Amino acid sequence: MVFHRRPVAAPCLPPGRRVYAIGDIHGEADLLISLLNAIRHDSSARGPAAVTLVFLGDFIDRGRDAATLLRALPLAGDDDVKVLKGNHEAALVDVYRGDEEALAFWLRFGGRQTLEGLGVMIAEPVDTAHLLHALRAALDVGVVDWLDRLPHAWTCGDYLFVHAGIRPRVRLARQDPDDLLWIREPFLSSRRRHEKVIVHGHTFTPGRPELGGNRIGIDTGAHETGCLTALGLEGEAQWLIQAYDDRPRTTSEPFG
């Protein structure tokens, strides 16, 4: 008896839909503006469609415009813009609500830039009580509540958009929210065919991301490399758009 394996269909979006997913911005507003302009030109050239922008989280921290983005993105949410929660947004929520352990690593991995952009100066040694009081005075609780309500994932057609990734062998409906925010392995090395193609950020990969496969990671280290990446999707098509600058930059630890 001969068995024929049915070919796997290419992932696709519903007819008439176009999606642009934007990787980890980390406070790089100039790069985001350049990328949005490039997306606008690209979408116009492709003709009419229902277009959705998806931000994959980690738009705050590290970069000099982190606080600006923190204040601006809550104003952008509508049916055409999806903003997902990243681990940095989750950390800020925890810090604002008094988690001292979260404060320690948030300061180490980019929170200082967000605080300074909010006008909160950090003295050494850190006075936790004073710092939390200053943060709460500088940042409206409504913004924090908005961050806390951000979805962990969004799905369209054969794609799932998420900040970090998923736990392989666990159904999408049963994923742990912490994995969606934080996971690297065993997700990154998994070759399994997931229920959907996973579009994610969190793990910094320099250069041009690889298309196809069971996942597409589009965090190209905007703050460290000066390269911010978007993934375009329509029908079965996948393409990349990138914005660059040559401003001198400092490196950060790979917090994601």
Side-chain angles (χ1 to χ4, degrees):
M1 184 177 292
V2 177
F3 293 92
H4 296 281
R5 185 176 181 181
R6 199 166 89 186
V8 176
C12 66
L13 293 184
R17 297 296 301 273
R18 184 180 303 142
V19 172
Y20 294 94
I22 298 175
D24 303 34
I25 304 165
H26 278 306
E28 298 295 335
D30 289 345
L31 281 174
L32 176 60
I33 291 169
S34 295
L35 187 63
L36 290 175
N37 285 333
I39 287 172
R40 183 161 47 249
H41 289 302
D42 180 84
S43 189
S44 177
R46 292 176 185 275
V51 178
T52 302
L53 287 177
V54 186
F55 292 89
L56 298 183
D58 280 12
F59 49 87
I60 63 168
D61 297 348
R62 294 185 178 167
R64 61 186 180 182
D65 300 314
T68 300
L69 291 172
L70 176 59
R71 291 181 171 124
L73 279 181
L75 306 177
D78 59 31
D79 289 342
D80 300 326
V81 180
K82 308 296 181 183
V83 183
L84 304 184
K85 184 186 292 186
N87 56 311
H88 282 251
E89 288 79 37
L92 173 53
V93 172
D94 290 342
V95 168
Y96 193 94
R97 294 179 176 169
D99 187 331
E100 295 186 12
E101 183 177 350
L103 174 61
F105 65 67
W106 187 55
L107 290 177
R108 182 182 175 190
F109 292 107
R112 287 177 179 271
Q113 289 83 353
T114 300
L115 287 170
E116 290 168 0
L118 292 170
V120 177
M121 297 299 104
I122 306 167
E124 298 291 348
V126 173
D127 182 333
T128 300
H130 174 77
L131 190 59
L132 291 177
H133 176 78
L135 172 60
R136 291 164 182 157
L139 183 60
D140 188 278
V141 67
V143 174
V144 178
D145 290 341
W146 175 80
L147 291 174
D148 199 21
R149 292 194 303 269
L150 289 177
H152 288 79
W154 181 69
T155 187
C156 185
D158 294 327
Y159 295 90
L160 177 79
F161 303 84
V162 65
H163 176 62
I166 65 165
R167 178 74 56 179
R169 301 179 184 274
V170 176
R171 295 193 63 82
L172 296 182
R174 297 186 176 183
Q175 292 288 322
D176 185 330
D178 280 348
D179 283 334
L180 302 180
L181 293 175
W182 289 95
I183 198 168
R184 287 198 169 96
E185 294 298 349
F187 168 66
L188 296 176
S189 59
S190 173
R191 297 294 179 263
R192 290 181 59 82
R193 183 184 176 196
H194 308 304
E195 294 170 66
K196 295 182 181 291
V197 173
I198 311 302
V199 179
H200 67 97
H202 186 59
T203 298
F204 163 35
T205 303
R208 291 183 67 81
E210 182 179 347
L211 300 180
N214 62 355
R215 67 175 184 87
I216 305 174
I218 58 171
D219 177 5
T220 47
H223 176 62
E224 291 78 12
T225 68
C227 175
L228 181 63
T229 296
L231 169 69
L233 301 167
E234 184 172 8
E236 295 182 356
Q238 303 174 347
W239 67 96
L240 296 172
I241 303 174
Q242 294 185 306
Y244 304 88
D245 70 26
D246 56 3
R247 176 166 56 87
R249 295 173 178 279
T250 57
T251 59
S252 301
E253 295 187 51
F255 183 62

